[in-house]
Every structure is written in structure tokens, then in C-alpha cells.
Amino acid sequence: MVIKRLILDRLLERGTLGIIRIQNHVGLIQTVNALYRGGLNYIEITMTTPGVLRAIEEAAGKLEDVLIGAGTVLDGPTARQAILAGAEFLVTPTVEPDVIEMAHRYGKVVIIGAMTPTEILTAWELGADMVKIFPAGILGPKYLKAVHGPLPQILLAPTGGITAENAGEFIRAGAAVVCAGGWLVDKKAVAEGRYEILTERARQLVEAVEKAKAAMAKEL
């Protein structure tokens, strides 16, 4: 459990998580490397990605300073497969009690997806380490701020529609971590092997979050 606490604390300190959701396993490791070069140390690979378990195993073994997690985990058996492949954290799109149970059994960080205040509180009370607010791009920073007001004890991780342009706004609204995927991992860039685009976007995301956190610290 000490390792789990350290992993969670480090994620909160970083404030950023990259999401890889692509239709072809070719280039997965290069994509992970590209995001790492841009400053992202926490990277989620969704379970909808072909060859995801092999990719998690390869990435977890090759990159010491990168923590790989599994996303779009919908049930306990899938969670166990991901953990055995080397996933250090699990992410779901919806409230899945059996995934939380499996994460606790193996001492892994679990981020549970929710939208409404009732879902958010339910996920937290079930034992989620963090609650993923999805789809954040549609709900917006104002929604996050409104939810964070009465539920300040819950660590919120907005996901969906996050870019370098709005990441800082979500942090100022109360986000503990921002999770970027579609904008960050440009599918055309991956298909063309232009991984430097991903590295630059990762750098921009990290910079935006660090800038927002620094500004908030000055206001204290």
C-alpha cells in the first residue's frame, strides 16, 4: 500500500495524465516514448486498443520513469488481466464496483469514471482513489467547479476534450489531475510517424498545468 500511496501522490504532484486510444498496436511504444519525452510520466492505454496487454507489458518493462495504466476497464476480470500485464493504475468510464475491488486486492490506484454528483460520490464511497469526470469537454470547467464546491474531499480528474488551451482552467476549477487523449495523441501524426507532434503537445499540456498551479500557489 505504501507503493500505491507514492504512485498516487506523484500523480497528484504532476497533475497530468496522457491517454492513448488508437486503432492499431503499431507505434504504441513509440507513442509512449513521445509522450514521455514531452514530460508525461503517467500514461493510460485503453483496453480498446488492439494488442493492449502486450503493449502494457512492453512499456512497463522498458521505461523505468513511466507508469503505465489501463483505461476503459469495464469489469473485474479485465482489471486483473491488466494488472498482471503490468498496469500500475486502472481507469474506468463508468462506476464499476468490481474494478475497484480488484484494484484494492492488488494494491493498485483506481480512477473511476462518473458524471453526476450522485455517481461521483458513489464512486468515492466505494473506494475510488480519484474520480474521472467524463465527458469534461462537454460539461466544462464551470461544471467541475460547481461539483467541487460541495465535494471538496473528492479528487477529480476531468477527461474528454482536454487540451493545453483549457487544462489550466480545469486546474483552477478544482481538478486534481487533467487527462488528455484525443487532442494529445493525434491519430494522423501517429499514422505518419510524426511523433514529435505528440511530444510537443505533451510539453504544452505539462506547461499549462504547471503555470496554473504556480498562479494558484501565489494566490494563497
Side-chain angles (χ1 to χ4, degrees):
M1 295 302 290
V2 174
I3 294 176
K4 174 183 174 178
R5 186 70 242 180
L6 289 173
I7 289 174
L8 183 59
D9 286 347
R10 189 180 177 197
L11 175 57
L12 293 172
E13 181 183 349
R14 298 279 180 173
T16 50
L17 189 153
I19 303 169
I20 299 175
R21 183 191 299 275
I22 54 180
Q23 300 304 313
N24 195 315
H25 72 278
V26 177
L28 264 175
I29 299 301
Q30 292 94 321
T31 299
V32 171
N33 270 305
L35 298 181
Y36 171 63
R37 287 195 297 271
L40 291 176
N41 298 83
Y42 284 74
I43 298 173
E44 166 194 336
I45 304 176
T46 67
M47 293 301 291
T48 55
T49 302
V52 61
L53 293 176
R54 184 174 61 186
I56 290 173
E57 188 173 359
E58 289 182 11
K62 290 182 178 179
L63 303 171
E64 291 185 6
D65 202 32
V66 175
L67 287 173
I68 301 295
T72 319
V73 180
L74 300 177
D75 52 56
T78 302
R80 184 174 184 274
Q81 284 184 317
I83 291 169
L84 294 180
E88 292 292 349
F89 60 92
L90 304 173
V91 185
T92 74
T94 50
V95 180
E96 303 296 340
D98 55 339
V99 175
I100 297 174
E101 181 182 355
M102 191 63 67
H104 288 179
R105 181 175 298 166
Y106 285 90
K108 301 300 180 182
V109 171
V110 60
I111 304 172
I112 295 296
M115 185 178 76
T116 68
T118 298
E119 290 174 346
I120 293 167
L121 183 58
T122 297
W124 185 255
E125 291 179 338
L126 284 171
D129 297 298
M130 195 176 299
V131 179
K132 165 179 142 180
I133 306 303
F134 177 81
I138 295 173
L139 297 169
K142 289 183 179 179
Y143 177 83
L144 189 94
K145 184 175 182 179
V147 170
H148 182 64
L151 300 171
Q153 76 277 20
I154 301 179
L155 301 176
L156 303 176
T159 307
I162 302 297
T163 69
E165 294 294 324
N166 62 22
E169 194 174 353
F170 275 103
I171 291 293
R172 289 188 290 272
V177 173
V178 292
C179 310
W183 166 82
L184 178 67
V185 182
D186 184 271
K187 292 181 180 179
K188 183 178 179 182
V190 173
E192 296 175 352
R194 300 175 64 193
Y195 297 105
E196 69 278 4
I197 293 177
L198 279 57
T199 297
E200 176 57 21
R201 291 190 179 183
R203 186 196 64 76
Q204 291 173 0
L205 180 70
V206 170
E207 184 179 301
V209 170
E210 289 178 347
K211 185 177 180 180
K213 284 190 170 188
M216 290 171 64
K218 289 181 179 180
E219 294 172 1
L220 295 177

